[in-house]
């Protein structure tokens, strides 16, 4: 459970849960979205599927409200509200209770309830997983602050340089790097205010990513400059 990515953590957690209950089964991990603007990590938003196995894997990222399987939503909501494990026809829900209230719910496809010994083992797993999930979220938060621009959501200068270095190390020479600078940005900031300047930066970020497509990396490398890096055919000067 020490994997640092949320996906890797959930994969390991679900595999461990299946081993403890003694059967192969598809599973899900539900957690609440972080609340934007919080000074400290706060997860009181909507429930979202953050990890899954088997038939549920394609649903990762789906909000609980958007599910088409009517069995799952009431089970997850009841378990989250009561903070107790429960079994319903075809499904078992186990709550990863955290002292801060940042709980998560693990759901397994199980036609029959598990025994007392297996239930005790799941209690221990959930207690450990609650701490592990909190650590993974903290690591992800630190990673995001280190490598992504908090205003635009783009890669920052450090991440951009790493990507360029990786491509150079691969020995390929068919990629192109460019810098897009905003003329008179300081005058816009001074004359119209920082809020207008921030909105302009976000609008340019959206336009660059939309125009250049997924093959091109767009990063904010300075206060008023963006780096673009991608394969030659995608780096059309006219599109830029």
């Amino acid at each position: 459970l020490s994997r640092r990515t949320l996906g890797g953590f959930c994969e390991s957690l679900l595999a461990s849960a299946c081993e403890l209950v003694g059967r192969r089964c598809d599973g899900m991990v539900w957690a609440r979205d972080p609340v934007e603007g919080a000074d400290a990590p706060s997860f009181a938003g909507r429930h979202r599927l953050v990890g899954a196995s088997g038939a549920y894997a394609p649903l990762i990222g789906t909000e609980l409200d958007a599910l088409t399987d009517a069995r799952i939503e009431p089970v997850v909501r009841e378990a989250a509200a009561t903070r107790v494990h429960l079994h319903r026809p075809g499904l078992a829900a186990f709550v990863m209770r955290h002292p801060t209230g940042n709980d998560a719910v693990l759901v397994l496809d199980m036609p029959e309830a598990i025994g007392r010994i297996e239930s005790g083992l799941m209690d221990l797993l959930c207690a450990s997983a609650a701490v592990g999930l909190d650590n993974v979220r903290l690591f992800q938060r630190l990673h995001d602050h280190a490598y992504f621009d908090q205003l635009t959501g783009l890669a920052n200068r450090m991440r951009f340089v790493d990507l360029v270095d990786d491509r150079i190390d691969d020995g390929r020479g068919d990629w192109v790097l460019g810098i897009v600078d905003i003329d008179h940005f300081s005058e816009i900031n001074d004359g119209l205010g920082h809020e207008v300047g921030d909105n302009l930066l976000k609008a340019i970020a959206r336009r660059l990513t939309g125009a250049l497509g997924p093959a091109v990396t767009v990063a904010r490398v300075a206060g008023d400059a963006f780096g673009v890096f991608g394969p030659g055919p995608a780096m059309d000067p006219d599109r830029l």
Side-chain angles (χ1 to χ4, degrees), residues 29 46 99 151 185 240:
V29 179
R46 297 181 178 181
L151 177 65
F185 181 71
L240 283 171

Side-chain angles (χ1 to χ4, degrees), residues 32-77:
R32 289 185 178 274
D33 287 338
V35 176
E36 297 297 333
D39 292 333
S42 176
F43 297 85
R46 297 181 178 181
H47 282 97
R48 187 178 301 277
L49 188 62
V50 296
S53 62
Y56 300 118
L59 300 177
I60 291 175
T62 302
E63 290 184 3
L64 185 58
D65 294 340
L67 279 185
T68 57
D69 189 336
R71 303 173 306 146
I72 299 171
E73 181 180 0
V75 172
V76 174
R77 292 200 185 281

Side-chain angles (χ1 to χ4, degrees), residues 4 23 36 44-45 77 119 144 149 153 155 164-165 174 183 207:
R4 291 182 174 180
R23 65 197 74 178
E36 297 297 333
R77 292 200 185 281
S119 181
D144 289 348
D149 176 56
V164 173
D165 285 344
D174 56 346
D183 291 338
R207 180 167 294 188

Side-chain angles (χ1 to χ4, degrees), residues 196-234:
V196 172
D198 288 348
N199 288 334
L200 175 62
L201 290 170
K202 289 187 284 188
I204 292 175
R206 288 192 299 269
R207 180 167 294 188
L208 285 172
T209 54
L212 296 175
V216 176
T217 296
V218 180
R220 186 182 177 198
V221 297
D224 60 351
F226 295 85
V228 290
F229 184 59

Side-chain angles (χ1 to χ4, degrees), residues 23-25 87-92 108-114:
R23 65 197 74 178
R24 296 184 62 181
C25 49
H87 187 272
R88 295 292 179 267
L91 293 174
L108 298 176
D109 269 344
M110 295 181 59
E112 300 175 356
I114 60 177

Side-chain angles (χ1 to χ4, degrees), residues 212 216 231-240:
L212 296 175
V216 176
M235 295 287 285
D236 183 355
D238 292 335
R239 295 171 69 189
L240 283 171

